[in-house]
Amino acid sequence: MSDLSPILVPRGFRFGATKAGLKASGRTDFALIAADVPASAAAAFTSNRVIAAPLIVDKENLAASGAKVRVVAINAGNANCAAGQAGLSAARATCSAAADIFGCNPHQVFPSSTGVIGVPLPVEKLVAVMPALAASLGPEADRFHEVAEAILTTDTAEKTAFARVEVAPAGGGPAGEVLIAALGKGSGMIHPQLVPHATMLVYVLTDAAVEPAVLQTYLNSAIEVSFNRISVDGDTSTNDTVLLLASGASGLEIGPGNQAFQAALTQVCTSLARQVVADGEGLSHVVELRIEGTANDADALRVAKAIAHSPLVKTAWAGCDPNWGRLAAAIGYSGAQIDPDRIDITFGSLPICRDGGRAPDYDEAAAHAYISQEEFSISIDLHQGSGSCTFWTTDLTHEYIHINADYST
């Protein structure tokens, strides 16, 4: 992992952003990512049954293009969701305008939107600025930075991650270097439940050459232990999207089962997922939940989500209150297989609960001091089997209420 650097921006892509007039702040709100040639694509979308128009069009386009993408068009300030046929028409108009400019098929355009739900998208504003924006695109790091900035809504910081990895090409021969870079946004309305397996949008780019079906397998594996392991508020957005594009510009072809590539991709996705949690709306604490000893991994995830979505637990964290009984209650109603007399809870290295009751050497003052830190970890062992998971979440504060009480006004 590294800070933004020109040598870590994958080859074969160009970037840029501009002001289309969608954000009330007047900041940049429309961005393009263009592949020099149609790139292999893999994607995952929200499991919410209320789905934003761009996602519907994206699925259609990926199927029609054979999972090839030439242009990604992202607007912030309007989610283009719950707008009926007008929303679909706006997403398709974006695709048509981009296709005319870049000389590609409209099915090779991938639109994305984030912002307020239920407000018609003034697509004419995007179409009006698109020609000049397209002409200004470049492969430089600062252009990548422009896109990362333009797609933010309630975020307080950009979210980017990078990796450089040596891989052995699928056809044999000497190993070579491929680059992976990701940018994303997300601060509130964060509990992605991406399938297969404010909104989170993530775009991951690599200059490796990977066939779409193989690329999808790599993405699914990375998502399951990264974006599907975070929650800020338990709300699954209508617009959640993760897109992975492979330009092939490195000339290195990667086939199935390349462990080095999978590890690097998972590292990038995990970094971005943790950045989303760390920028959660109004948070004062980031919490890593380490669940182990469950009957299976699915039970570990059930326990993690029960804890991460409990208002009682999250408000206790906000007040630095080491009320471990709330954790025990959440474990009990999680649906996981448990024995109440075998639950162990640890805050960092501090024993809190042993065998279902307060640990003999429990120190309330030390526990309070530990969870007063901006970041802390809680470990839970149910002693039921070998299942486990790691999950990242936040507390719930007054500031979160203030941010969301007047979000649309």
Side-chain angles (χ1 to χ4, degrees):
M1 312 303 292
S2 174
D3 294 331
L4 183 61
S5 166
I7 62 171
L8 287 180
V9 177
R11 293 153 287 189
F13 299 99
R14 291 174 293 134
F15 314 90
T18 191
K19 299 176 182 179
L22 300 182
K23 287 182 179 177
S25 65
R27 296 178 178 176
T28 55
D29 51 19
F30 184 46
L32 294 175
I33 302 172
D36 294 339
V37 298
S40 293
F45 302 98
T46 184
S47 60
N48 195 321
R49 294 178 68 180
V50 176
I51 304 170
L55 280 66
I56 296 172
V57 172
D58 290 336
K59 294 176 183 180
E60 294 173 349
N61 286 358
L62 289 172
S65 69
K68 295 287 186 177
V69 170
R70 177 81 164 80
V71 182
V72 182
I74 315 159
N75 76 267
N78 186 303
N80 193 13
C81 180
Q85 185 58 46
L88 290 170
S89 296
R92 290 175 179 139
T94 301
C95 295
S96 295
D100 288 343
I101 293 170
F102 288 92
C104 65
N105 190 301
H107 290 140
Q108 294 179 332
V109 181
F110 190 98
S112 288
S113 299
T114 179
V116 180
I117 295 171
V119 178
L121 173 66
V123 68
E124 66 279 0
K125 293 186 177 182
L126 306 184
V127 173
V129 300
M130 198 182 300
L133 174 57
S136 72
L137 301 184
E140 299 84 8
D142 58 347
R143 297 304 175 85
F144 182 94
H145 167 90
E146 289 176 6
V147 176
E149 176 71 24
I151 67 175
L152 306 182
T153 51
T154 58
D155 307 66
T156 65
E158 290 179 17
K159 299 164 181 69
T160 58
F162 306 87
R164 177 193 288 117
V165 58
E166 290 284 330
V167 297
E177 181 181 84
V178 299
L179 304 178
I180 303 173
L183 58 89
K185 61 86 54 183
S187 184
M189 208 177 197
I190 299 297
H191 174 216
Q193 298 184 77
L194 297 159
V195 292
H197 158 16
T199 299
M200 189 189 76
L201 300 180
V202 171
Y203 308 93
V204 187
L205 312 172
T206 181
D207 50 20
V210 192
E211 288 300 312
V214 175
L215 198 66
Q216 188 70 56
T217 300
Y218 283 120
L219 180 62
N220 293 348
S221 295
I223 281 173
E224 195 57 32
V225 295
S226 59
F227 301 116
N228 280 355
R229 295 291 182 271
I230 63 172
S231 178
V232 169
D233 47 25
D235 278 304
T236 298
S237 169
T238 57
N239 292 56
D240 284 337
T241 300
V242 177
L243 175 67
L244 170 59
L245 297 180
S247 70
S250 69
L252 290 168
E253 182 179 352
I254 295 178
N258 190 301
Q259 294 182 0
F261 181 77
Q262 181 70 75
L265 177 64
T266 301
Q267 184 182 21
V268 165
C269 290
T270 301
S271 172
L272 212 60
R274 295 186 67 171
Q275 289 178 57
V276 169
V277 170
D279 195 29
E281 290 176 344
L283 70 81
S284 59
H285 298 91
V286 175
V287 185
E288 181 177 82
L289 298 173
R290 303 171 182 171
I291 314 299
E292 60 184 16
T294 53
N296 47 55
D297 291 347
D299 265 8
L301 188 57
R302 290 186 184 98
V303 170
K305 288 188 176 185
I307 293 169
H309 298 160
S310 166
L312 288 176
V313 171
K314 295 171 83 70
T315 50
W317 290 339
C320 307
D321 181 3
N323 189 343
W324 63 269
R326 293 181 176 180
L327 296 172
I331 294 167
Y333 66 64
S334 67
Q337 174 183 311
I338 70 163
D339 178 345
D341 295 328
R342 300 189 69 193
I343 298 173
D344 289 345
I345 302 173
T346 305
F347 289 1
S349 61
L350 300 173
I352 304 297
C353 168
R354 288 293 179 267
D355 299 324
R358 189 171 72 175
D361 46 353
Y362 173 69
D363 184 332
E364 184 175 31
H368 169 75
Y370 178 73
I371 66 171
S372 296
Q373 301 176 101
E374 291 184 2
E375 297 188 16
F376 58 85
S377 66
I378 294 176
S379 299
I380 295 169
D381 191 340
L382 297 187
H383 299 286
Q384 297 296 302
S386 59
S388 66
C389 83
T390 303
F391 197 96
W392 297 276
T393 187
T394 69
D395 59 358
L396 181 62
T397 67
H398 292 291
E399 183 60 23
Y400 177 89
I401 297 171
H402 291 316
I403 290 170
N404 285 284
D406 60 359
Y407 180 74
S408 67
T409 54

